[in-house]
Amino acid sequence: MISEHDILNAGILIVDDQQSNVLLLGEMLRDAGYTCITATIDPHAVCELHRQNRYDLILLDLQMPDRDGFQVMEDLKAIETDGYLPVLVITAQPSHKLRALAAGAKDFVSKPFNLVEVRTRIHNLLEVRLLYRELEHYNKQLEQTVLERTAELRESEARFRRLTELSSDWYWEQDERGHFTKMFGPVLDMLGIRFDEALDNIWDDRDIGWNETERDILKANLAGRRPFLDFVYSRTNPDGLQQYFMVSGEPMFDLSGRFAGYRGIGKDVTETMRAKEANN
């Protein structure tokens, strides 16, 4: 929330070619407790003053010689690139009010001044402006936090992938329909399966002689949504040699408890299994 102290210490610029109006508005603001007040009777100086000080509110007279308030607002738009012009226009011409709002002014007051109305409009605009800046600052912090968290997640994923590569030959994930969604490592080549893009699915290569009994057990685990650890199954390759794979997997569930698929790791353990068979 914006405090009264923040509002009274906001930066205000008074722009009017009539010195008497500058003095009147300045005295009114100081009497109300505002402390950071700047004034100028030169419309050409407004943009440089705002570029240097970034005022929270500019009280801008529309009718000034040589350069009117509409031209000043156009110049200010080059500074306020986010499109927010912190301008309260001052005019004696009722027909200028809608034009000023269309040009980007946030509010207006009429001459001759009603001091109570002017104070109220200034207070309200400053509160909105400071809230806008607070929100802008929060959004920048949020954006930075998102960037940092994204970088952390990428780093964590890279570490996870590296650990997976060190401990296994591949990592895999399936969705709730059994379709592969993530594969790290040479899983397609090692398992002899291919991806059918037209059907968006993974299909077995039927030329490979899988041990169907072992495969049925694996399929039953998947269908039953049961976790499995170090499950070994085998196939006979076209050259007659037997190849062994060891896989581990666990079902995944979303926050509502709905089944979301499987994830796991796999490894070619052919050499290990052949060594065991030789020892036996």
Side-chain angles (χ1 to χ4, degrees):
M1 295 297 294
I2 303 302
S3 68
E4 193 68 16
H5 177 271
D6 293 331
I7 293 174
L8 293 177
N9 283 279
I12 301 174
L13 174 64
I14 303 171
V15 185
D16 198 308
D17 65 308
Q18 298 293 322
Q19 187 66 35
S20 58
N21 288 333
V22 170
L23 293 174
L24 176 62
L25 287 169
E27 183 179 358
M28 180 269 297
L29 289 170
R30 282 186 286 272
D31 288 344
Y34 293 96
T35 60
C36 300
I37 305 166
T38 307
T40 182
I41 59 174
D42 181 7
H44 294 279
V46 174
C47 285
E48 186 57 32
L49 285 169
H50 185 56
R51 188 177 287 110
Q52 293 176 4
N53 300 285
R54 295 290 176 162
Y55 298 104
D56 297 299
L57 183 62
I58 300 174
L59 308 181
L60 178 64
D61 184 28
L62 286 181
Q63 291 182 291
M64 294 181 290
D66 188 25
R67 193 166 194 79
D68 64 23
F70 293 105
Q71 293 171 306
V72 172
M73 280 194 288
E74 284 301 311
D75 293 339
L76 288 171
K77 287 178 182 178
I79 302 174
E80 295 292 344
T81 54
D82 61 356
Y84 188 101
L85 288 181
V87 173
L88 172 67
V89 298
I90 303 168
T91 180
Q93 299 295 326
S95 61
H96 286 169
K97 294 176 181 178
L98 290 180
R99 182 185 168 193
L101 293 175
K106 292 297 173 279
D107 204 349
F108 56 83
V109 292
S110 301
K111 293 180 179 180
F113 299 130
N114 179 319
L115 295 183
V116 174
E117 178 187 0
V118 174
R119 283 197 299 266
T120 301
R121 290 182 183 274
I122 288 173
H123 185 281
N124 290 344
L125 279 179
L126 283 172
E127 185 175 21
V128 171
R129 176 57 170 165
L130 294 179
L131 281 170
Y132 182 87
R133 282 191 169 173
E134 191 174 86
L135 178 61
E136 190 178 44
H137 177 67
Y138 172 77
N139 286 337
K140 288 181 179 179
Q141 285 187 318
L142 181 61
E143 182 179 353
Q144 182 61 33
T145 300
V146 169
L147 290 175
E148 292 173 357
R149 295 294 182 270
T150 301
E152 290 173 2
L153 286 173
R154 286 175 178 169
E155 184 180 353
S156 177
E157 182 176 353
R159 288 199 303 267
F160 170 76
R161 187 178 300 185
R162 183 58 182 153
L163 287 172
T164 300
E165 291 171 352
L166 291 173
S167 62
S168 60
D169 291 327
W170 69 83
Y171 171 83
W172 56 272
E173 286 188 14
Q174 291 179 331
D175 62 19
E176 68 277 8
R177 298 173 299 167
H179 294 177
F180 284 88
T181 57
K182 287 185 180 181
M183 290 176 288
F184 303 147
V187 58
L188 294 180
D189 294 337
M190 296 189 76
L191 296 185
I193 53 181
R194 57 186 174 83
F195 182 65
D196 190 325
E197 294 185 358
L199 297 177
D200 185 27
N201 209 335
I202 297 291
W203 294 87
D204 288 339
D205 188 332
R206 298 303 179 182
D207 293 334
I208 294 178
W210 293 103
N211 183 310
E212 292 301 329
T213 300
E214 296 167 348
R215 292 269 286 175
D216 287 343
I217 296 173
L218 179 59
K219 290 178 180 178
N221 283 328
L222 292 170
R225 301 174 183 176
R226 295 187 294 267
F228 50 90
L229 180 66
D230 296 343
F231 179 82
V232 177
Y233 63 108
S234 61
R235 73 183 184 194
T236 302
N237 294 328
D239 59 7
L241 294 178
Q242 200 161 16
Q243 192 172 15
Y244 296 87
F245 301 98
M246 183 169 65
V247 293
S248 299
E250 64 176 3
M252 299 185 294
F253 300 90
D254 61 21
L255 294 177
S256 65
R258 185 181 64 87
F259 175 68
Y262 258 93
R263 63 186 169 200
I265 57 174
K267 190 173 185 179
D268 186 330
V269 292
T270 301
E271 295 300 325
T272 302
M273 295 300 295
R274 287 176 180 171
K276 287 184 177 179
E277 291 174 354
N279 292 332
N280 292 335

